Amino acid sequence: MMMGELIELQTLEASDDRVWCVAWNPTGTLLASCGSDKIIRIWGREGERNWVCKSTLSDGHTRSIRSVAWSYCGNRIASAGFDAKVSIWERQGQEFVLQTTLEGHENEVKDVAFSRSGLYLSTCGRDKSVWIWEYNEEENDFACAAVLTTHTQDVKHLKWHPQKDVLVSCSYDNTIKMFIEDNNDWSCVCSLDSHTSTVWSCDFDATGKRLVSCSDDKTVKIWHAYEKNNQEGIRSPNGVYPVWKCVCSISGYHKQPIYDVNWCPLTGLIATASGDNSIRIFREEESKQRDVPPSFSLIASNAHAHSQDVNRIAFNPKEPGLIASCSDDGTVKLWRIEQKLM
Amino acid sequence: MELSSELQNLNPTIYECTEERTLQESDLNNDVPDNIDCREVFDLIRTINDPEHPLTLEELHVVDLEGVTIDNEANTVQVQFRPTIPHCSMATLIGLSIRAKLIYTLPTRYKVGVNIYEGAHIQEVQINKQLNDKERVTAALENKHLCAVVNRCIATPDD
């Protein structure tokens, strides 16, 4: 049986207030954090192990910064604020400088995400809308390409597909929706309905054929994409796009809402961040049989990972097993997960 | 959340208040372990002012001791409240005031849940969901106008 050990490496005193989000840059060398103090901090290594604050970005927002994201080139950071603004920061030498501010949302912006292709940026918020912004290289600016109003409530989280320009959004309306562009028109191509309360977050696996989601209903769900003409004979309602089905529900572990979930592209491990102060790591059970629904087992957890709610969890994209988390307790923590055969 | 100028409940029933807590000898003894109990949580919320009447939530029977539960092992506090009328548009604001008071006064280790007594409001499911979404509560309390209204509700005459 495979078990794991979650080892605490370092606690970074990031803020006197709530830390809402942490995000690794694509090369895994820098970690950005943000929160209620309206400051973005960039953390980097000093020496072999020690992580220190390399720079702080302030004056971008007048209210809490809910989330921060890196572009895939690593030269741009976007931040989403409760002040209804999205700020774009650009690397100039060792520093990041405020380049532009995107306005349009009516009130709190909850999340921001760059597409893998580098062509798009998406934002979402309390006004129930998802905005897609197209990057214009010549003008080095973003222009609004679509305003999607499919959700009926507050939109909490966004995630782009790891290979394609497919956008996924999670909402207070309990659903997950997927959007794609067809003939210059962005539209919702499917809705994933199974959670019974707010969906706080989701993440793709490395192949982009599966998605994990987490919710206020204290469950984690695994979704599988069935392409058109799939062997299982599952019909896509529109005959063109894949249909997503919930194939596994992980329940009974979390005692409070699950605010974030991350699916490591390197190790295949799933990590959750919960309002019960815990971090939990799940691993898929290997199955020799085909056509058997996947099953996941808890291989490691820390019930007191933080002294308050854990808001985000992020696997380092290059270093297998290195994890960052952040919490209402004002800290960012770095962890290592080691897997061993028991 | 919009505040209307009309009174929602023109003639509310006024209830008698509970007696002040009597100090026990052990309360002043630092050597006796003393967990926070239901009565202490109730004392924090019973003096909250109603948004529209010059009365406390206890006097309007919006909160009572029975509606408070605390689990010191799990660090959870649950408060149930009862809007004076089942279509009260102030219900969210009252719940937010209860939540704000508890966030500001209880140790941070407690997970606070605030819910409407079952069947006490026509929109209890929606209101409960909103009151227990920490992201929306945080955003609401960052809103200067709303925060001022909440602070007026939770201020006590001594402040």
Side-chain angles (χ1 to χ4, degrees):
Chain A
M1 194 172 60
M2 195 66 94
M3 287 304 287
E5 194 184 352
L6 194 58
I7 303 154
E8 188 177 329
L9 301 176
Q10 200 183 342
T11 299
L12 309 171
E13 302 291 340
S15 168
D16 295 330
D17 214 332
R18 171 179 283 134
V19 185
W20 273 121
C21 180
V22 280
W24 294 101
N25 70 343
T27 51
T29 54
L30 297 171
L31 180 74
S33 69
C34 66
S36 300
D37 65 0
K38 312 173 192 79
I39 297 170
I40 300 167
R41 288 181 175 74
I42 315 276
W43 307 83
R45 268 202 177 93
E46 197 172 74
E48 269 288 286
R49 291 187 180 158
N50 205 32
W51 288 78
V52 295
C53 183
K54 296 279 187 186
S55 54
T56 55
L57 319 182
S58 45
D59 301 328
H61 294 275
T62 55
R63 288 183 57 189
S64 285
I65 306 177
R66 178 65 182 91
S67 71
V68 59
W70 294 81
S71 63
Y72 278 87
C73 61
N75 292 327
R76 214 168 272 127
I77 293 174
S79 54
F82 281 177
D83 58 3
K85 284 188 213 150
V86 174
S87 295
I88 310 287
W89 309 78
E90 213 171 47
R91 185 198 284 273
Q92 284 182 9
Q94 289 302 304
E95 291 296 317
F96 280 86
V97 179
L98 183 62
Q99 183 220 345
T100 182
T101 304
L102 307 179
E103 295 186 38
H105 281 285
E106 277 170 40
N107 39 41
E108 294 94 315
V109 188
K110 300 286 177 73
D111 202 14
V112 54
F114 286 95
S115 73
R116 180 69 184 84
S117 64
L119 295 173
Y120 304 105
L121 176 77
S122 57
T123 59
C124 67
R126 241 287 291 292
D127 62 9
K128 306 168 189 173
S129 68
V130 172
W131 290 52
I132 294 180
W133 308 80
E134 205 169 344
Y135 179 61
N136 183 323
E137 206 166 346
E138 272 170 35
E139 291 173 17
N140 190 23
D141 205 359
F142 291 85
C144 178
V147 177
L148 305 159
T149 53
T150 325
H151 282 293
T152 58
Q153 290 289 343
D154 194 2
V155 188
K156 300 293 196 186
H157 188 80
L158 296 169
K159 193 85 203 179
W160 287 90
H161 190 280
Q163 288 97 27
K164 305 172 197 165
D165 282 331
V166 174
L167 177 67
V168 183
S169 60
C170 307
S171 166
Y172 187 90
D173 68 13
N174 306 354
T175 71
I176 301 162
K177 304 214 187 277
M178 291 197 183
F179 302 90
I180 68 148
E181 189 190 22
D182 197 1
N183 285 326
N184 271 326
D185 207 13
W186 284 87
S187 60
C188 176
V189 292
C190 71
S191 181
L192 283 61
D193 306 343
S194 179
H195 282 295
T196 56
S197 191
T198 302
V199 187
W200 283 105
S201 182
C202 71
D203 198 11
F204 282 101
D205 74 350
T207 66
K209 289 178 180 150
R210 291 196 295 176
L211 186 83
V212 61
S213 61
C214 66
S215 162
D216 222 78
D217 69 13
K218 307 179 179 74
T219 70
V220 170
K221 290 184 190 285
I222 311 286
W223 306 79
H224 185 89
Y226 295 91
E227 301 290 334
K228 60 172 179 176
N229 305 327
N230 61 76
Q231 288 185 331
E232 292 83 357
I234 293 168
R235 275 180 55 190
S236 157
N238 47 32
V240 183
Y241 305 114
V243 55
W244 289 77
K245 294 268 179 206
C246 178
V247 291
C248 173
S249 189
I250 305 172
S251 56
Y253 292 102
H254 299 84
K255 293 164 193 74
Q256 293 284 343
I258 310 164
Y259 292 119
D260 196 24
V261 65
N262 211 236
W263 201 331
C264 181
L266 306 174
T267 60
L269 296 175
I270 289 175
T272 62
S274 169
D276 62 14
N277 306 353
S278 71
I279 291 174
R280 293 183 176 84
I281 310 287
F282 296 89
R283 186 176 180 278
E284 187 169 4
E285 294 285 340
E286 278 170 40
S287 170
K288 291 196 177 66
Q289 287 168 280
R290 273 193 55 121
D291 306 329
V292 173
S295 76
F296 288 78
S297 51
L298 184 74
I299 63 156
S301 66
N302 186 334
H304 309 285
H306 284 273
S307 65
Q308 293 181 55
D309 297 7
V310 190
N311 292 322
R312 282 281 169 103
I313 187 131
F315 282 103
N316 185 290
K318 295 291 174 199
E319 214 179 305
L322 179 61
I323 304 171
S325 63
C326 66
S327 161
D328 283 355
D329 69 14
T331 65
V332 168
K333 286 191 181 188
L334 295 168
W335 309 84
R336 177 171 308 289
I337 172 82
E338 276 174 12
Q339 297 186 68
K340 42 192 160 184
L341 210 55
M342 296 294 277
Chain B
M1 220 177 300
E2 295 299 322
L3 298 179
S4 70
S5 50
E6 301 161 43
L7 286 178
Q8 289 283 313
N9 186 351
L10 288 173
N11 190 16
T13 317
I14 302 172
Y15 295 78
E16 212 173 307
C17 287
T18 36
E19 282 175 24
E20 292 298 317
R21 183 191 182 103
T22 43
L23 273 183
Q24 310 292 317
E25 205 172 311
S26 63
D27 287 344
L28 301 171
N29 185 345
N30 283 337
D31 297 329
V32 178
D34 185 14
N35 267 333
I36 294 176
D37 59 20
C38 292
R39 177 61 207 253
E40 275 169 291
V41 175
F42 179 60
D43 279 345
L44 290 172
I45 59 171
R46 72 189 182 104
T47 54
I48 295 173
N49 304 301
D50 181 76
E52 54 181 18
H53 294 287
L55 295 165
T56 66
L57 295 187
E58 183 185 24
E59 286 166 327
L60 291 170
H61 209 227
V62 172
V63 294
D64 54 14
L65 185 57
E66 290 68 48
V68 179
T69 45
I70 184 163
D71 181 338
N72 276 293
E73 289 270 295
N75 287 319
T76 55
V77 172
Q78 289 290 334
V79 173
Q80 287 180 282
F81 70 104
R82 182 187 298 103
T84 53
I85 40 176
H87 51 271
C88 179
S89 68
M90 296 286 165
T92 315
L93 180 60
I94 292 170
L96 186 62
S97 300
I98 295 171
R99 232 200 130 100
K101 181 78 191 256
L102 294 176
I103 292 170
Y104 298 152
T105 52
L106 283 176
T108 53
R109 66 172 184 275
Y110 287 104
K111 311 284 179 191
V112 178
V114 174
N115 291 286
I116 292 175
Y117 270 110
E118 214 181 314
H121 197 282
I122 49 168
Q123 287 184 304
E124 66 180 78
V125 175
Q126 293 96 307
I127 295 173
N128 287 344
K129 188 169 183 182
Q130 207 175 336
L131 286 176
N132 292 297
D133 180 322
K134 75 163 183 182
E135 188 185 66
R136 289 175 72 144
V137 167
T138 310
L141 294 175
E142 269 187 19
N143 176 318
K144 282 199 182 98
H145 168 70
L146 198 53
C147 189
V149 176
V150 167
N151 283 343
R152 268 201 301 280
C153 290
I154 64 179
T156 51
D158 306 332
D159 293 338

